[in-house]
Amino acid sequence: MENCVFCKIAAGEIPSAKVYEDDEIVIFKDIEPKAKIHLLCVPRAHFATLAEADGERTALLARALAKIGRLAPDLGLAEGYRLVVNQGENAGQTVMHLHIHILGGEPLAWE
Ligand code: AMP
Ligand code: ZN
């Protein structure tokens, strides 16, 4: 989608520190990390929220979660990690292209 920063990163039109990519997803470093390791898993397909997840998008998200699980050790996350999906204003979603935050690399507070 035009003027979407994550579509542009996925297409390689603006730079990012990519750590993984395939035909469905890209994973790159968050520009403002909130943990020692803070990655973003972004589907190449543009949609903003889970409410827009139809059958194919739901299957895509399931595959993305499974891939994160398989890739975790290679991403420095063997000791554990947290996934976060901000949805809408109250959650502070700023990029309206669905993305999964991957946080880890250190013990994470949970309060
Ligand atoms: P959210 O608040 O869930 O919408 O998260 C958006 C995230 O994207 C924030 O953590 C930002 O730091 C991150 N972000 C925004 N622009 C970029 C960029 N060009 N490269 C990497 N991360 C970005
Ligand atoms: Zn997009």
Side-chain angles (χ1 to χ4, degrees):
M1 171 170 277
E2 229 175 295
N3 291 327
C4 170
V5 64
F6 286 177
C7 280
K8 288 181 178 169
I9 285 175
E13 290 168 12
I14 63 173
S16 68
K18 283 182 187 157
V19 297
Y20 174 82
E21 64 182 314
D22 62 23
D23 56 339
E24 295 191 311
I25 63 165
V26 295
I27 303 179
F28 53 92
K29 293 181 182 177
D30 194 294
I31 206 168
E32 287 182 43
K34 291 181 173 58
K36 194 166 172 191
I37 296 175
H38 185 174
L39 305 171
L40 298 171
C41 175
V42 172
R44 291 186 185 279
H46 178 98
F47 58 105
T49 67
L50 292 170
E52 297 166 44
D54 58 10
E56 174 46 32
R57 290 169 177 172
T58 301
L60 167 64
L61 291 173
R63 289 193 293 274
L65 289 174
K67 284 176 197 173
I68 291 169
R70 284 197 298 273
L71 290 167
D74 290 338
L75 298 175
L77 299 165
E79 307 304 319
Y81 55 93
R82 179 172 296 150
L83 303 182
V84 173
V85 182
N86 289 325
Q87 295 288 277
E89 197 176 334
N90 276 3
Q93 184 177 5
T94 57
V95 178
M96 298 309 285
H97 178 136
L98 192 130
H99 51 281
I100 303 166
H101 293 262
I102 306 170
L103 300 146
E106 61 184 340
L108 303 168
W110 181 253
E111 284 297 325

